[in-house]
């Protein structure tokens, strides 16, 4: 059996601007479903940087009955040199009730107080950034008052 060697390289930091007025579908058979529009954002790393296009882009959120928030996010990134990259990720956020309550109020909370992880995937036709089509990434997140911020890492 070959065990994976988990080494990573920081790919970029992603900050999103999310519309606070999400569509609240209410209690579904799976939990409370909300759909939030991503209005834009930016990303920056050593190899690529740019902006998040305002539309289409969104976060299909599911607040499970056990308190875990599930994320399903789809974005279009425009690099500083005008290449387009589709980014999507799934993930989860959870923590003690008092921490989640503060986050839901838009307050700043130490990210060490809660778990916030995602698994980003990329798709692009760009020759320059084609390496994104063949990498595996993980991200750590934090919820700032202005919106979510992710540190995206390529698994080597």
């Amino acid at each position: 059996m070959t065990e994976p060697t988990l080494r990573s390289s920081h790919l970029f930091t992603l900050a999103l601007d999310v519309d606070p007025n999400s569509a609240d579908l209410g209690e579904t058979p799976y939990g409370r479903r909300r759909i939030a529009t991503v209005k834009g954002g930016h990303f920056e790393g050593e190899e690529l940087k740019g902006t998040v296009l305002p539309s289409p882009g969104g976060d299909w959120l599911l607040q499970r009955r056990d308190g875990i928030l599930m994320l399903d996010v789809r974005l279009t990134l425009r690099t500083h040199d005008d290449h387009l990259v589709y980014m999507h990720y799934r993930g989860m956020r959870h923590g003690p009730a008092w921490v989640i309550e503060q986050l839901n109020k838009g307050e700043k909370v130490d990210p060490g107080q809660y778990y916030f992880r995602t698994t980003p995937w990329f798709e692009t036709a760009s020759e320059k950034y084609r390496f994104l089509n063949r990498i595996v990434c993980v991200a750590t997140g934090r919820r700032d008052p202005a919106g979510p911020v992710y540190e995206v890492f390529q698994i080597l």
Side-chain angles (χ1 to χ4, degrees):
M1 175 188 339
T2 303
E3 289 189 30
T5 302
L6 294 179
R7 291 184 311 123
S8 65
S9 172
H10 186 258
L11 191 59
F12 57 75
T13 300
L14 170 71
L16 298 178
D17 179 15
V18 179
D19 187 339
N21 301 312
S22 62
D24 190 339
L25 280 67
E27 288 296 324
T28 74
Y30 304 103
R32 185 177 193 118
R33 173 70 68 183
R34 292 179 292 133
I35 303 171
T37 301
V38 175
K39 299 189 311 183
H42 61 277
F43 61 98
E44 185 162 354
E46 284 188 33
E47 293 188 52
L48 69 162
K49 62 183 174 183
T51 58
V52 177
L53 295 183
S55 184
D59 189 352
W60 285 255
L61 299 154
L62 179 67
Q63 182 71 50
R64 293 184 348 195
R65 291 189 176 90
D66 62 0
I68 295 174
L69 180 66
M70 302 298 296
L71 299 94
D72 179 2
V73 179
R74 299 160 203 170
L75 307 168
T76 304
L77 309 179
R78 182 183 300 277
T79 64
H80 73 287
D81 50 357
D82 209 31
H83 294 263
L84 294 177
V85 178
Y86 169 60
M87 177 182 184
H88 66 99
Y89 55 89
R90 291 180 179 253
M92 64 172 61
R93 186 183 78 193
H94 58 82
W98 66 270
V99 169
I100 300 305
E101 185 177 319
Q102 284 182 308
L103 289 172
N104 290 339
K105 290 179 184 174
E107 298 175 9
K108 190 170 177 86
V109 178
D110 176 0
Q113 297 291 320
Y114 56 99
Y115 185 89
F116 192 177
R117 303 290 186 271
T118 68
T119 54
W121 293 91
F122 302 95
E123 183 179 335
T124 185
S126 166
E127 285 296 316
K128 181 174 183 179
Y129 297 109
R130 71 176 174 208
F131 75 94
L132 292 169
N133 294 326
R134 56 181 187 256
I135 63 174
V136 173
C137 292
V138 295
T140 60
R142 69 180 187 270
R143 185 64 167 96
D144 285 352
V149 178
Y150 301 94
E151 301 298 337
V152 179
F153 296 89
Q154 174 183 353
I155 302 300
L156 304 173

